[in-house]
Structures are given as structure tokens and as C-alpha cells.
Amino acid sequence: MTDAQRSGCPINLSLEVLGDKWSLLIIRDMMFGNRRHFRELLTKSEEGISSNILADRLKTLLEQGIITREDDPTHKQKGIYSLTEQGIELLPVLAQMAAWGYKYLPVTEELGIRARLLSEGGPKMWAEFMDELRESHLGAKRRRRGGPSVGERLQAAYESVVNGN
């Protein structure tokens, strides 16, 4: 344990890495919004993160091994951020937080639909979605299932609510 850590408690240690709202929202946007570039994370955030906070949190997430950054082959000055296995395995945590928020807080229908579907789908759906994230972020091969992916189903449900269908 280092001097910067308050205790060896796993909840405390996790909060020391992920305990500010911005880190979890960046991970959320990478998972559910497929936002992989700095500009996308900055401009498409519902909550309006500032560029200095985003840069700081990305640096921390990189240092902690939750994300990686590679040069974008299409643009030399851009980087592509990807979730690591550690980052991908935060999906059940975010799904549980979303389910709790959906149940107890005044969420909007369009921003709550994914939480409802993930809650209803449970661990089986989470595992399938984590496999999709491993494919898109880590390049891992996965067995294709018939029909739309979890990511596509979540996006379609969101768009349906937004469009009033």
C-alpha cells in the first residue's frame, strides 16, 4: 500500500481510481457511445466535461491501465482511446449503477432505456456486450450470434425513444 492510499479496502482502492464522476462517464461514453477520440469525448458528453478535466481523467485512466491510447492511422495528431480488459470488466458495475439509478432516480426515458434493457438482460447480456467490447477495443475474435449485437439493440432502443416510436 502506498502513502497516497487511505486503506487496503477494495472499495476504497477502486474509488481512488474511479471515484470521481468524470472517469466513470468517460468509460460510459467509450462503452455505450463508442466515443474513442478526445474531441468526441469532449463535444458529445451530455454533461459537458471541460477539456482540462477530460485530459486529466484520460491521463489517470491510462496510468491505471483502464484505457490505452494509440496513434490514429488516419490522422497523425489524433489518438484512439480503447478500453483494456480492466475497463471492459467495469461494464457490470456501470450496469448495476444504471439499474439502481433507473429504479430510484428521476431519469429521462431516452437516457434510461439502456439501463432498463441491461437490467432486464442481466449478466448474460452483460457478458455478450463485454465480448463485443473486447472485439472492438482489443481486437479479440468472438463468435457471432444471429441478429443484432447488444450494442446495436441498445442503440436502436435509444433511437426509438428519441424518435417517439
Side-chain angles (χ1 to χ4, degrees), residues 3-163:
D3 291 339
Q5 297 168 334
R6 293 189 177 115
S7 77
C9 168
I11 294 172
N12 170 69
L13 292 171
S14 298
L15 287 172
E16 287 185 13
V17 174
L18 302 165
D20 68 284
K21 78 174 186 176
W22 295 117
S23 295
L24 289 174
L25 293 176
I26 291 165
I27 294 165
R28 175 206 63 191
D29 288 349
M30 291 179 73
M31 282 182 182
F32 298 104
N34 196 32
R35 296 178 189 145
R36 309 278 298 275
H37 293 92
F38 185 91
R39 174 112 355 246
E40 290 175 321
L41 290 163
L42 181 66
T43 61
K44 295 183 178 178
S45 168
E46 292 276 332
E47 295 78 17
I49 190 169
S50 66
S51 60
N52 62 321
I53 297 290
L54 176 59
D56 180 68
R57 295 318 185 272
L58 288 170
K59 181 180 177 224
T60 299
L61 293 169
L62 282 163
E63 290 170 353
Q64 294 296 324
I66 294 168
I67 63 172
T68 59
R69 184 190 182 280
E70 299 293 328
D71 290 336
D72 186 334
T74 65
H75 192 286
K76 294 196 185 290
Q77 293 178 331
K78 285 186 177 181
I80 299 175
Y81 293 95
S82 297
L83 295 165
T84 63
E85 184 63 26
Q86 277 183 296
I88 290 167
E89 288 189 17
L90 287 168
L91 177 72
V93 175
L94 291 177
Q96 290 285 36
M97 288 178 68
W100 184 88
Y102 185 79
K103 184 175 181 179
Y104 293 109
L105 301 173
V107 301
T108 61
E109 187 178 0
E110 66 270 10
L111 296 178
I113 188 65
R114 292 181 183 121
R116 183 173 64 81
L117 294 176
L118 282 169
S119 180
E120 291 170 357
K124 183 177 179 194
M125 181 184 244
W126 306 344
E128 188 179 338
F129 192 38
M130 287 192 297
D131 284 344
E132 292 171 18
L133 291 169
R134 287 182 185 101
E135 181 178 46
S136 62
H137 288 260
L138 303 176
K141 298 287 183 210
R142 69 179 175 96
R143 290 186 312 180
R144 298 276 179 182
R145 298 188 172 135
S149 69
V150 172
E152 291 167 340
R153 294 190 317 246
L154 294 174
Q155 186 62 26
Y158 169 78
E159 289 173 7
S160 178
V161 171
V162 168
N163 295 325

